[in-house]
Amino acid sequence: MKLIKNLPNAVTCCNLLAGAAAVMMASEGHFLYALLLIIAGAVFDFLDGLTARALKVQSPIGKELDSLADCITFGLAPSVMLMQTIRLQTEASNYAWGWWSAVALLMAAFSALRLAKFNTDERQTSSFIGLATPANALFWASLIAAFPSLPSLAQWIPCAMIALMLLSCWLLVAELPFFSLKFKSLCWADNKVRYIFLIGAILLIVLAAILGHIWAAGAIIIIWYVVANLAAQL
């Protein structure tokens, strides 16, 4: 019985281990492996909650452990990927402000803040307030894995990446509603936005595969997710 009770926590620890391995891969510049580990962490993150509900063994410890694991997998790992990308880009272009790459770690701090807000906000039971950390992590990990060596055409590339990172930090904690993919029924009327998003996501995956940028599909889908949410508010 004790083993069954701790099964969801064991799954959560798999999420944490995947995130820790992603940090290690990112620090060594193995961005595709880091992306795959973040995706694995997301799968474990989904399964731990599913397991806890199925076994009816949800606990406060499990909730806190889940957030700690998410801080690593969806906060620190993509931040280190971005930091390394900016550092490598500035070195390749002989641009003398590679130390700015450390600014990317701000995303880890905002991800932790986002998770803390989620744990204490009773409004986020069936939807989200602010961009969820797994979505933000998937965007950055997919973008960086798809384009690991950006062309050194201009010094503005690191600046643009930092500006985009600051935007994503704001989205993490912004008081903006984001729909979740939790279906209470299969009715079109109740889930129109979700169905439209999923259909669009499938088409984008196919398009990315045709264009030969399948690893960029995650980043494109998250952009589509943000656009779909903004359109739903109009």
Side-chain angles (χ1 to χ4, degrees):
M1 181 62 184
K2 189 174 182 180
L3 179 62
I4 294 176
K5 184 178 179 180
N6 286 299
L7 182 58
N9 291 341
V11 178
T12 302
C13 286
C14 290
N15 173 15
L16 191 151
L17 290 172
V23 171
M24 183 178 71
M25 290 294 103
S27 66
E28 296 178 357
H30 302 310
F31 298 135
L32 179 55
Y33 292 143
L35 167 63
L36 295 175
L37 286 163
I38 288 173
I39 293 174
V43 173
F44 287 125
D45 186 47
F46 171 77
L47 291 177
D48 64 5
L50 188 66
T51 305
R53 288 189 294 272
L55 298 176
K56 298 180 180 179
V57 291
Q58 294 167 292
S59 67
I61 291 178
K63 183 178 180 180
E64 297 303 322
L65 181 61
D66 183 69
S67 292
L68 289 172
D70 288 353
C71 276
I72 301 297
T73 306
F74 308 128
L76 184 59
S79 296
V80 173
M81 289 181 72
L82 179 58
M83 181 179 69
Q84 286 294 88
T85 300
I86 294 174
R87 184 181 65 80
L88 293 172
Q89 179 64 24
T90 52
E91 287 179 355
S93 59
N94 296 316
Y95 199 22
W97 52 279
W99 61 271
W100 267 80
S101 61
V103 175
L105 295 176
L106 273 175
M107 191 161 65
F110 274 86
S111 296
L113 180 58
R114 168 71 180 85
L115 290 163
K117 289 183 65 177
F118 177 79
N119 285 346
T120 57
D121 193 340
E122 297 180 355
R123 298 173 296 170
Q124 301 189 54
T125 54
S126 58
S127 60
F128 302 117
I129 304 295
L131 184 65
T133 53
N136 183 65
L138 178 60
F139 169 79
W140 283 107
S142 174
L143 181 67
I144 292 169
F147 307 104
S149 54
L150 295 170
S152 302
L153 298 177
Q155 296 177 348
W156 58 263
I157 292 179
C159 298
M161 297 181 77
I162 290 174
L164 187 58
M165 182 272 297
L166 293 175
L167 175 61
S168 70
C169 286
W170 175 75
L171 286 174
L172 285 168
V173 298
E175 287 290 312
L176 295 175
F178 284 84
F179 63 82
S180 73
L181 294 179
K182 295 179 181 178
F183 288 80
K184 293 183 178 180
S185 72
L186 297 178
C187 176
W188 169 265
D190 295 335
N191 302 286
K192 181 169 64 175
V193 175
R194 293 180 179 86
Y195 280 125
I196 292 174
F197 166 72
L198 289 174
I199 293 170
I202 293 171
L203 293 175
L204 288 171
I205 291 173
V206 173
L207 179 61
I210 293 174
L211 295 176
H213 292 295
I214 187 61
W215 298 116
I220 298 169
I221 288 171
I222 298 305
I223 293 174
W224 165 231
Y225 174 66
V226 173
V227 170
N229 271 282
L230 294 175
Q233 307 308 314
L234 298 178

